[in-house]
Amino acid sequence: MLKIDISKALQFIPEGAVQKMGADAHAANKALEDGTCPGNDFLGWMHLPSGITPEFVAEIQATAETLRQECDTVVVAGIGGSYLGARAVIEALQNSFAWLIADKKNPTILFAGNNISEDYLYELTNYLKDKKFGVINISKSGTTTETALTFRLLKKQCEEQRGVETARKVIVAITDAVKGAARQTATKEGYKTFVIPDNVGGRFSVLTPVGLLPIAIAGYDIAQLVKGATDMEAATATDQPVEENPAAIYAIVRNALYQSGKKIEILANYSPKLHFIGEWWKQLYGESEGKDKKGIFPAAVDLTTDLHSMGQWIQDGERTIFETVLSIGEPNHTVLFPHDEENLDGLNFLEGRRVDQVNKMAELGTQLAHVDGGVPNLLLSIDRLDEYHIGQLIYFFERACGISGLMLKVNPFDQPGVEAYKKNMFALLGKPGYEEATKAIRERIK
């Protein structure tokens, strides 16, 4: 089970603050359970893991098998929560050099629809010219600019390369149950569809078909992913004492540090496989807590790599930061430090030791140095990097995010600020219906 160690953060928090905030954390967690909190129409993620049936998993796996049989490449078209969770899980589990390895069992999974780069789209469509590719279009509305543009291009190319009938077999829509452009297109074309539940926001959607289908296509055990999340759902429920609830403890400590002037949280990992876990986490917390001119700024670093770039700032920069370290107990492979006759690098003292032992000492040594430099440290540990433990981690962060946001007294489940750039973009492009906004914004940029 995931463990949390807050011992290297307590010295930076006023004495008794953690205990005092325990009641607030319990109340926040109970408001989530009871559905009495702001944004309570978006709490479908709360009991999602325990509500997933074997039959539903089998349906996902059957669709995944169809795409595995029919495709050598599958493009996931989605943005934000519609792709980050799936990418985080897949990249954590797959071979670091999967792109270069010919895998006859599982298609290559690509991600698009998350930017408006003309070069990226050109290079993507060019790469796909000789591929037997399929598409997963993930969008509730079907009108999100980045994803809708990408899907237009991919739908046309898939139909031209593979024929309309085959395209209908290898394009899957994950969308609203009844409304929206993506639903209309799927119904018209006869695509296989899965529903994004109305009460689950994008950043909480990893354990819906949004995440489960791409993960299954990539060849990973989604039943174990769900089991890990289900076990964490039970471990973070309100019937658990606050002091034994890892999500509540995390929420309490990060809010206590925030109140003490720590405005930036850095999620640090010591495995490059966890890079996109950090990217997913940034959206989850940034979009959930950044409201009403409040909220901890979420940042992420890949260590030890970034110790040679961001390390100086973390060690000696402005003391407005704290660090949460994500640690893996046991790697999946063994590599021993080799002997070298000349020993010019002076590293023969490590001969015969596992490389992971060196990594763990770098991890601990960095924690101690950062604490000495005035950076509070929390440690999150999972036993190993597999589907079960990643499922635990996903649900842990989701539950803690809900508790933490309510303790901050914001609605963790809306994102009103996301629409601001879209209004300006549509006005600048002259979209029909935006005439007044177009006129006003052109006056501003004269």
Side-chain angles (χ1 to χ4, degrees), residues 67-315:
L67 270 74
R68 277 201 295 267
Q69 294 294 328
E70 297 286 341
C71 305
D72 55 31
T73 307
V74 174
V75 185
V76 179
I79 195 167
S82 294
Y83 93 100
L84 278 172
R87 187 167 190 177
V89 175
I90 291 168
E91 297 214 5
L93 294 172
Q94 74 181 3
N95 187 297
S96 300
F97 303 96
W99 180 261
L100 301 174
I101 299 170
D103 185 346
K104 301 301 183 185
K105 291 194 306 179
N106 304 306
T108 298
I109 309 295
L110 302 178
F111 296 90
N114 50 64
N115 62 66
I116 321 176
S117 166
E118 191 164 356
D119 285 342
Y120 183 88
L121 289 171
Y122 173 85
E123 290 161 5
L124 172 67
T125 52
N126 195 56
Y127 171 80
L128 294 171
K129 281 182 179 177
D130 61 350
K131 301 295 185 293
K132 292 170 59 181
F133 77 92
V135 184
I136 304 174
N137 186 36
I138 305 176
S139 177
K140 269 189 178 180
S141 66
T143 58
T144 301
T145 305
E146 295 89 342
T147 305
L149 168 60
T150 299
F151 182 64
R152 273 198 185 200
L153 291 168
L154 295 177
K155 176 179 182 292
K156 183 174 184 289
Q157 184 173 355
C158 189
E159 290 174 344
E160 290 174 349
Q161 283 182 209
R162 310 201 62 185
V164 172
E165 289 307 312
T166 299
R168 286 172 176 160
K169 290 173 59 180
V170 298
I171 296 177
V172 178
I174 303 178
T175 186
D176 189 86
V178 294
K179 63 183 184 297
R183 167 56 63 183
Q184 290 178 31
T185 300
T187 300
K188 175 178 174 290
E189 299 291 348
Y191 300 150
K192 172 66 178 176
T193 64
F194 290 96
V195 172
I196 304 172
D198 284 339
N199 60 356
V200 178
R203 58 191 178 275
F204 290 87
S205 67
V206 191
L207 299 170
T208 73
V210 167
L212 295 179
L213 181 59
I215 293 165
I217 293 169
Y220 300 110
D221 189 342
I222 58 174
Q224 279 297 302
L225 187 79
V226 170
K227 186 178 188 309
T230 302
D231 288 351
M232 185 55 66
E233 180 187 326
T236 55
T238 52
D239 58 358
Q240 301 297 322
V242 167
E243 62 272 15
E244 296 175 16
N245 183 329
I249 294 168
Y250 181 52
I252 289 168
V253 173
R254 62 196 308 276
N255 272 277
L257 289 168
Y258 180 63
Q259 290 179 12
S260 300
K262 305 300 183 183
K263 306 296 186 183
I264 301 167
E265 179 177 10
I266 299 174
L267 186 70
N269 71 75
Y270 284 78
S271 168
K273 289 177 176 288
L274 295 175
H275 174 81
F276 270 93
I277 293 287
E279 295 302 299
W280 169 78
W281 172 86
K282 285 195 297 186
Q283 186 202 359
L284 180 65
Y285 280 81
E287 204 167 69
S288 295
E289 291 193 326
K291 320 269 171 72
D292 305 330
K293 312 305 178 192
K294 295 188 286 188
I296 299 166
F297 183 84
V301 290
D302 301 324
L303 304 181
T304 60
T305 305
D306 287 341
L307 291 175
H308 298 262
S309 58
M310 291 297 293
Q312 173 62 41
W313 192 93
I314 296 171
Q315 188 70 43

Side-chain angles (χ1 to χ4, degrees), residues 20-21 23-29 31-32 36-39 251 254-256 258-259 287-296 400-414 416:
K20 288 178 183 176
M21 295 174 77
D24 290 339
H26 179 75
N29 202 15
L32 291 172
T36 57
C37 61
R254 62 196 308 276
N255 272 277
Y258 180 63
Q259 290 179 12
E287 204 167 69
S288 295
E289 291 193 326
K291 320 269 171 72
D292 305 330
K293 312 305 178 192
K294 295 188 286 188
I296 299 166
C401 185
I403 297 170
S404 184
L406 293 179
M407 291 178 71
L408 191 61
K409 301 193 183 308
V410 299
N411 177 353
F413 309 114
D414 66 355

